[in-house]
Amino acid sequence: MTTRIDCQERDARDPLAALRDQFDLPQGVIYLDGNSLGARPKAALARAQHVIAQEWGHDLIRSWNTAGWFDLPRRLGDRLAPLIGAAAGEVVITDTTSVNLFKALAAALQMQADDPQRAARRVIVTERSNFPTDIYMAEGLSAWLARGYTVRLVDAVDELPQAIDDETAVVLLTHVNYRTGYQHDMAATSTLAHARGALIVWDLAHSAGAVPVDLHAGGADLAVGCTYKYLNGGPGAPAFIWVPARHQARFRQPLSGWWGHAAPFAMTPHFTATDGIGRALCGTQPVVSLAMVECGLDVFAQTTMDAIRAKSLALTDLFIALVEQRCAAHPLALVTPRAHALRGSQVSFSHPHGYAVMAALIARGVIGDYREPAIMRFGFTPLYTSFADVWDAVEILRDILDRQAYDVHAKRDAVT
Amino acid sequence: MTTRIDCQERDARDPLAALRDQFDLPQGVIYLDGNSLGARPKAALARAQHVIAQEWGHDLIRSWNTAGWFDLPRRLGDRLAPLIGAAAGEVVITDTTSVNLFKALAAALQMQADDPQRAARRVIVTERSNFPTDIYMAEGLSAWLARGYTVRLVDAVDELPQAIDDETAVVLLTHVNYRTGYQHDMAATSTLAHARGALIVWDLAHSAGAVPVDLHAGGADLAVGCTYKYLNGGPGAPAFIWVPARHQARFRQPLSGWWGHAAPFAMTPHFTATDGIGRALCGTQPVVSLAMVECGLDVFAQTTMDAIRAKSLALTDLFIALVEQRCAAHPLALVTPRAHALRGSQVSFSHPHGYAVMAALIARGVIGDYREPAIMRFGFTPLYTSFADVWDAVEILRDILDRQAYDVHAKRDAVT
């Protein structure tokens, strides 16, 4: 039987333990929601202060050149690239995940429309359980495009082989599911899509910084993702989009703003897309929020995704085992796959009073979150979560459940 | 003949003079580029520090509710509304100007397509001299829409009455021209568009916080604009979009992300637009950059747009007069209209060596900027520009021109 001392001993041997000190974590909190909003790298405050006081306040407009503001989306994209198996010049950090998804999906549909063998394909395949904004953006784009597409929602992963057919233009999947923590086999699914003549767009919102991703080896065609979850970029920090070198010349998207122009300051009255990844850009980016993304990436540069994955699996294995041992008397059901290959870096349990139990946990300083229906999510972020944290979180959960110390009439908050 | 003492006396009588102290302006700089990047409100640093250290670092995910992050686009939109003649619940601060323009233009085209009397209209009218991204976004949207539109570029303002015809679906104009400072008569042009059965979308990038705007009285149908110029929101701060109450029920746009959903946290697999201005939202916003927008709006709340306009015209009149008096020997040509009604809050002069002269001015601490072809732009921001600043800037310009103290071979920087 595992004890708290065992957990402390694992912490003592943990090669990532020292990185926790690079984050500002409040006293008395066990933060298991880095899958929704990553914790704050301590360096982010000084970085923002410098951008605000010096670059904006003192250097003013000159900072577009002297502080490299204009190059930030590309430069930070290059720093993110190794975490997702991308090459330099293939990623920009810009706009929101939703907006980048719109660009990626529009571009993928256009690539298919431009291919005489595939031009008749009119179906976008995705999962009903996908993060809703992915489905909404696909619906929105489909309804407005000249060619008229339909969005085909698949109810279970094992239906994908049947659903991806010779009508399918693009498959749009989130690599790690936001609710269940299920992780797709990227390479196998990309291979399946390509075998049927479809292109595949991957949403890495719950993957980047959470699990090893190799977009090239995984056969992805395009990808988007989020920097404010596992990458710790700050609340609402700009998202990213990946366009591999092999697709860049064919990549065209409707949000053809001046930042994607070949000569943005020539001020010509017709749009000519720049070469390379820059054509995924659109308008002026929020510099302060964007600059802080680098502080999260700086922490990742001190370790490897393999080391992070090893600890992530150890943390989630431990959490599952402890909950199932110590809370066995309660109606908790594991939603996340047990198989390592199918798991992201979160663990979800359902409970009939999931919302109320999560509210009680949060009141006791164990911060996870809740997603309909009845699911409690616990995100594990190896950069700052310890094995003792896992033990303590489970003990508090057990105490709440044993004493029924939750309000079954708790009303859901607006957001979390 | 005006003297520097006259200018100092005007500063002493200036009711806005005290507001300058609320901005952090570097020593030795006369900043005449607030039309490109507004100066930093001193309060912005503390505001960002609080958002980063307390709301992000300490309160973490809870801040979506407790710090009102989710409501920021609406709440700050309501604070901006009075500056542009909008009502509460009609403005959100979100995304970029380019992206908002895409939403507004798409929605306006859809409104026309939904009207049986106007459904056949397939032309978007704008100016060749419009800010390029406006034209690029119109081109991008046109090429991708189901219905096939063309963008008609008008070469001069007096051609608009002829160009807006019974084929015109939407007129898209920037209220104050970024290069010349020319200000359209919003009411007259909106009336013209409506008389021809067109809708009109106004870009207020160089108007909001610069000149009085009354979108309702001006007959505008939709509007977008920028917060990082005259509104002093910070580099690349999120932009705004205005949808008047009378159009909200018909307002549909393709970027149908989860923030525009009627129940974003119900996580349903089909998009249902929320009522009201929220349907102009799409994805998660960069909170730190967004929050600082309020610090700029706080300064505007201490005065009126009429007071700002009175000083703006006094500053630009003075600058024009002094340049024409004191630099009369040099080949400077006024590009900005002399008539007050046609002028924004900037003054542009062309010079055969405009880029080189501007580079020399910047090296001497007079920061304006340069736009092709041969145009030096000087922005006047009444919240922090003094009459003595105007005098000093002209004296430095005169000195540079008299001594030909500029490098005619100066190479243009990447951005400014």
Side-chain angles (χ1 to χ4, degrees), chain A residues 75-85 91 93 208 227 231 240 297:
Chain A
R75 188 170 70 73
L76 297 185
D78 283 349
R79 294 211 56 197
L80 169 60
L83 301 183
I84 55 173
V91 181
I93 300 186
T227 67
L231 294 175
F240 66 85
L297 297 174

Side-chain angles (χ1 to χ4, degrees), chain B residues 104-166:
Chain B
L105 190 53
L109 294 173
Q110 186 64 48
M111 285 186 214
Q112 295 289 63
D114 291 343
D115 180 338
Q117 302 296 312
R118 300 175 174 185
R121 292 166 177 256
R122 289 290 179 276
V123 173
I124 300 163
V125 171
T126 190
E127 293 179 282
R128 189 181 302 277
S129 64
N130 200 344
F131 189 73
T133 211
D134 294 46
I135 303 173
Y136 302 160
M137 295 308 289
E139 281 185 336
L141 179 66
S142 304
W144 289 72
L145 279 185
R147 298 176 298 272
Y149 290 86
T150 58
V151 179
R152 182 180 293 164
L153 297 179
V154 174
D155 284 303
V157 173
D158 59 12
E159 294 172 15
L160 278 172
Q162 194 180 329
I164 303 173
D165 58 17
D166 59 10

Side-chain angles (χ1 to χ4, degrees), chain A residues 3-144:
Chain A
T3 65
R4 192 173 197 281
I5 289 171
D6 297 333
C7 293
Q8 290 173 304
E9 285 172 0
R10 294 178 77 166
D11 285 327
R13 295 192 307 268
D14 172 17
L16 299 187
L19 296 178
R20 180 185 177 107
D21 188 50
Q22 297 188 31
F23 291 89
D24 180 46
L25 289 162
Q27 292 292 315
V29 164
I30 299 172
Y31 192 59
L32 303 179
D33 211 6
N35 52 318
S36 188
L37 173 66
R40 178 171 84 78
K42 287 178 181 169
L45 183 60
R47 179 82 179 100
Q49 287 169 332
H50 182 79
V51 174
I52 296 166
Q54 179 68 34
E55 295 178 12
W56 175 17
H58 187 270
D59 300 336
L60 288 156
I61 191 69
R62 295 168 288 197
S63 287
W64 283 108
N65 294 313
T66 56
W69 287 353
F70 196 71
D71 294 326
L72 267 179
R74 287 175 177 81
R75 188 170 70 73
L76 297 185
D78 283 349
R79 294 211 56 197
L80 169 60
L83 301 183
I84 55 173
E90 293 187 336
V91 181
V92 277
I93 300 186
T94 189
D95 294 330
T96 66
T97 308
S98 297
V99 166
N100 288 336
L101 206 109
F102 186 87
K103 298 170 190 168
L105 190 54
L109 293 174
Q110 186 65 48
M111 286 184 213
Q112 295 289 66
D114 290 343
D115 179 340
Q117 302 296 313
R118 300 176 174 185
R121 293 167 178 255
R122 289 289 180 277
V123 173
I124 301 163
V125 171
T126 190
E127 292 180 283
R128 189 180 301 277
S129 63
N130 200 343
F131 188 73
T133 211
D134 294 46
I135 303 174
Y136 303 158
M137 296 307 290
E139 281 185 336
L141 179 65
S142 304
W144 289 74

Side-chain angles (χ1 to χ4, degrees), chain A residues 414-416, chain B residues 55 61-76 92-93 257-265 274 278 281-285 287 290:
Chain A
V415 181
T416 56
Chain B
E55 296 178 11
I61 190 69
R62 297 168 287 198
S63 288
W64 282 108
N65 293 311
T66 57
W69 287 353
F70 196 70
D71 294 325
L72 267 179
R74 286 175 178 81
R75 188 171 70 75
L76 297 186
V92 278
I93 300 185
W258 68 314
W259 277 42
H261 196 281
F265 292 91
T274 189
L281 298 172
C282 177
T284 307
Q285 291 304 297
V287 171
L290 179 56

